[in-house]
Amino acid sequence: AQSVTQLGSHVSVSEGALVLLRCNYSSSVPPYLFWYVQYPNQGLQLLLKYTSAATLVKGINGFEAEFKKSETSFHLTKPSAHMSDAAEYFCAVSGGGFQKLVFGTGTRLLVSP
Amino acid sequence: GAVVSQHPSWVICKSGTSVKIECRSLDFQATTMFWYRQFPKQSLMLMATSNEGSKATYEQGVEKDKFLINHASLTLSTLTVTSAHPEDSSFYICSAWDRGGSPLHFGNGTRLTVT
């Protein structure tokens, strides 16, 4: 079985500041890990994914995440926040390709000028 | 562009009526699709796994007779909310795996409001 825990339901940063959204996972098999972003009343857009290749994964819009097996973590970072980054972010895990995805509770990122 | 199309994007219906939501994979065949439900300011909860040509697999606590899923072709899955009630009002999102098994593509969701 798989599960993810996202620490912090809300994260506030200033424009230009570092963004760090935390995700810890639990999986009985080598996991696939994902970060998705959701804007109001819209579906989910994939930011990046880890599928057992390089542990440092680069995604769209300047985001990246590092898979750390020893810490069972997959934290999302961005060096410099932009106002347009304000959204809901979901970490998700699956047991491999074509398996169902289990989502964390989400973190709302707030960006102030 | 979008690889999973969901329709309608929003619907308002009266209590007791049924509503059908369509999910299409646009440029690939999807033998498996997933239906999620999302309550306001909450995460996505998996409702069921839709399997082409066979019965859907429902998650625990999801009423299969209320949420009918049909996956009649490799590019189309439908979710029908039968005898809808106000508590069924929610955001429903479908998804399908990419050809290689990753990533999972999502439709833009359907906002259902039952009055």
Side-chain angles (χ1 to χ4, degrees), chain A residues 31-93:
Chain A
Y32 280 20
L33 293 158
F34 307 83
W35 275 99
Y36 285 88
V37 61
Q38 184 181 35
Y39 296 97
N41 293 312
Q42 293 188 27
L44 276 70
Q45 180 182 12
L46 179 70
L47 285 177
L48 48 80
K49 63 177 181 178
Y50 167 78
T51 57
S52 74
T55 56
L56 181 62
V57 181
K58 294 186 182 298
I60 63 172
N61 301 337
F63 285 94
E64 64 180 40
E66 186 172 9
F67 172 72
K68 293 186 176 181
K69 183 177 180 180
S70 61
E71 300 177 8
T72 61
S73 68
F74 191 59
H75 302 328
L76 181 70
T77 61
K78 182 174 180 176
S80 177
H82 193 272
M83 296 296 291
S84 61
D85 294 328
E88 189 85 19
Y89 291 80
F90 292 97
C91 181
V93 64

Side-chain angles (χ1 to χ4, degrees), chain A residues 32 34 36 38 41-44 46 49 51 90 94 96-101 103-106, chain B residues 34 36 38 42-44 46 59 91 93 97-104 106-109 111:
Chain A
Y32 280 20
F34 307 83
Y36 285 88
Q38 184 181 35
N41 293 312
Q42 293 188 27
L44 276 70
L46 179 70
K49 63 177 181 178
T51 57
F90 292 97
S94 77
F98 299 108
Q99 302 299 308
K100 65 182 180 182
L101 222 57
F103 285 86
T105 51
Chain B
F34 301 95
Y36 289 85
Q38 185 178 32
Q42 294 189 28
S43 188
L44 284 77
L46 180 65
E59 296 297 303
F91 194 56
I93 310 176
W97 283 110
D98 195 79
R99 297 175 191 80
S102 171
L104 192 64
F106 285 84
N108 281 329
R111 172 72 59 191

Side-chain angles (χ1 to χ4, degrees), chain B residues 30-33 50-55 71-76:
Chain B
T31 56
T32 301
M33 292 184 176
S50 173
N51 304 300
E52 189 270 335
S54 64
K55 292 183 179 180
H71 196 151
S73 78
L74 287 171
T75 58
L76 174 64

